[in-house]
Amino acid sequence: MADTLRTDLLALLDDLEQELRRLGYWQGTPPAPEAFLSTTPFSADTMAFTEWLQWVFVARFRALVVGGHPLPGACDVRPMAEQALSGLPRCEHLLCIIGDIDDHF
């Protein structure tokens, strides 16, 4: 992936963090270490989706991008986001950012 695409992805991850903060979902304390051992997609059995976005998705993608590591060939998080965030107010922009990240690949 070209440097420009990696830079764009970092900007999208920053946008995602800012929107999670704006909505009050960004947390100062991570979940218990055991929560990260989940083998369920999106750690749905141990974390709220917004926790997973912060502590797994954003953190891992930033580490991959900054470290120059290979990125996945596809990303398809928006369908889960739509399901997990349904019923929560003011999440449309959050869903758009997640969709933009999906489309990045």
Side-chain angles (χ1 to χ4, degrees), residues 2 6 11 15 20-21 25 29 31-33 42 48 51 53-56 64 73 81 91 93 95-96:
R6 286 182 178 271
D15 291 347
L20 287 167
R21 287 181 184 277
Y25 293 126
T29 305
F42 307 101
E51 290 177 308
L53 282 173
Q54 176 181 351
W55 299 105
V56 178
L64 290 173
C91 287
H93 187 60
L95 290 171
C96 287

Side-chain angles (χ1 to χ4, degrees), residues 20 23 27 48-49 52 70 79 104:
L20 287 167
L23 293 170
Q27 300 175 350
F49 183 73
W52 178 85
H104 196 71

Side-chain angles (χ1 to χ4, degrees), residues 71-89:
L71 297 171
C75 184
D76 196 24
V77 175
R78 175 135 185 178
M80 179 59 183
E82 289 173 345
Q83 180 181 349
L85 300 174
S86 69
L88 295 179

